[in-house]
Amino acid sequence: MSATATRTPVKEPPAASATSPARKRSRWPVVLRQAALRALALAVLLLAWQCAVWAELWPRVLVPSPGEVWAALLRTSTVHDGVRGQSGHLLIEHLGTSLRRIGIGTGYAALAGIPLGLLIGVVKPLAVVLEPAVSFLRTLPPLAYLSLLVIWFGIDESPKIWLLVIAACPPIAAATAAAVRTVPGQLLEAARALGASPLNLLLAVRLPAALPEIFTGVRIAVGIAYTSVVAAETVNGVPGIGGMIRDAQRYNQTDVVIVGILAIGLSGVLLDTALRALEHAAVPWRGRA
C-alpha cells in the first residue's frame, strides 16, 4: 500500500442563496418588528392627540378629537339621513375623481416630458432654447397660472387637467434630460462600433440607461400633481378631494378637513408604493453594480 494515500476532496455544501426559503422566513421577524414599531408610533400619536383635546389646549372646533374625526370618516363614506357623504358625494368618489385627474394630468405630462427631455439631453441647439423654458415653468407655483387657465378654458375639467400637466411636465423633462446626459460614454462608443444609428443610440442605449432616473422624475411629478390638485379643485372641484376640503372649510367642519387630509396622505403613500413596484418591475437593474 502506498505511503501517500489519495485523498478525495470534500465538497462543501453550497451557500444558501439570497432567495432561499430559509432566507425569506428570516425576513418575517424584521417585517413584524417594523410593523409593531409603526403601530406603536401611531398609538402614541393618537394618545397625544386625545390628551391635547382633554386638556382643552385649543377650542374643539379647531382641534376635534380622534373619535370625532372617525365619525366624520364614517359620515363622509356613507349615506346618512338622506344625505350622500359630503357635498353630495361619498369620500371614495371624491378621492377617485382626484386620482383620475392626477392620472390623466401626469400621463399627458409624461407623454410630453419624456420626449422633450430626450431632445434637450441629446440636441444641444434645442437645449439652449428649451431648457430655460422648462426651468421657468418648474419654478412657478401652480396657483400663479391657475387664474389664467380658468380665463382660457373656463371652470370645467380642462383648467384642472392643464394645471396638472403644466405642473408635472417640467420635473419629468428635467430628470430625463439629466439622465440622458449622464449615460456612460463606453456604452455609446460600443454601440457606435457595432454600427448603431443615432436613432438606435437614442432608443436602444440612451433611453434604457436613463429609465431609472426617468421613473424618479415621474414619481416626483406625481407628488407635485397631488399637491396641485387641491389648488386645481378650488374652482368647481366637486366631486374631488380638494373640493370636499374647500366646502368643509367654508362651514368650519374641521373634522371633515382632517379626513380629507388623511385621505390624501394615505392614498399618496399607496400611489408612491405602486410606482415603486412598477419601477422595480420595469427597471430591475437599478441599484445593481
Side-chain angles (χ1 to χ4, degrees):
M1 218 176 156
S2 174
T4 56
T6 303
R7 294 184 179 179
T8 303
V10 180
K11 294 183 179 180
E12 296 188 4
S17 63
T19 57
S20 64
R23 185 67 174 268
K24 289 182 179 179
R25 285 195 299 268
S26 66
R27 294 176 184 171
W28 277 108
V30 177
V31 174
L32 293 176
R33 186 161 55 249
Q34 291 177 348
L37 286 174
R38 289 169 181 168
L40 178 61
L42 179 60
V44 171
L45 176 62
L46 291 175
L47 180 60
W49 180 2
Q50 184 63 58
C51 289
V53 173
W54 284 333
E56 297 182 354
L57 298 178
W58 298 278
R60 208 65 174 271
V61 69
L62 298 181
V63 182
S65 67
E68 290 171 333
V69 173
W70 176 257
L73 172 63
L74 297 179
R75 190 171 66 250
T76 55
S77 302
T78 57
V79 179
H80 55 283
D81 298 330
V83 179
R84 183 179 177 83
Q86 181 76 15
S87 303
H89 299 274
L90 301 179
L91 175 63
I92 191 66
E93 294 172 344
H94 287 294
L95 189 59
T97 301
S98 296
L99 291 176
R100 178 182 61 80
R101 288 168 178 156
I102 292 170
I104 294 173
T106 308
Y108 284 141
L111 289 177
I114 293 176
L116 180 61
L118 291 174
L119 290 175
I120 292 174
V122 174
V123 185
K124 291 184 179 179
L126 286 178
V128 173
V129 177
L130 296 176
E131 198 162 19
V134 171
S135 299
F136 175 78
L137 288 176
R138 193 158 51 95
T139 57
L140 283 179
L143 284 175
Y145 45 84
L146 175 59
S147 299
L148 182 61
L149 294 175
V150 171
I151 293 173
W152 284 353
F153 301 107
I155 60 173
D156 293 329
E157 283 293 292
S158 295
K160 303 176 183 63
I161 300 300
W162 274 108
L163 181 80
L164 299 181
V165 171
I166 296 173
C169 184
I172 296 176
T176 303
V180 167
R181 287 170 178 162
T182 57
V183 173
Q186 298 90 331
L187 290 178
L188 300 177
E189 292 300 327
R192 289 192 185 99
L194 294 173
S197 65
L199 183 60
N200 287 334
L201 278 178
L202 179 63
L203 298 180
V205 179
R206 292 184 185 271
L207 184 58
L211 270 180
E213 297 305 321
I214 292 175
F215 268 100
T216 300
V218 170
R219 286 176 51 211
I220 293 173
V222 169
I224 293 174
Y226 216 148
T227 59
S228 303
V229 76
V230 176
E233 291 172 347
T234 57
V235 180
N236 192 26
V238 176
I241 197 70
M244 186 194 82
I245 292 175
R246 179 206 61 193
D247 287 354
Q249 173 263 328
R250 287 178 177 175
Y251 300 103
N252 288 334
Q253 295 177 308
T254 311
D255 50 358
V256 177
V257 172
I258 294 176
V259 167
I261 293 172
L262 293 176
I264 291 173
L266 292 175
S267 60
V269 170
L270 293 177
L271 186 58
D272 188 69
T273 302
L275 289 173
R276 284 177 180 270
L278 178 61
E279 177 184 358
H280 181 72
V283 193
W285 62 85
R286 177 162 196 170
R288 298 181 184 177

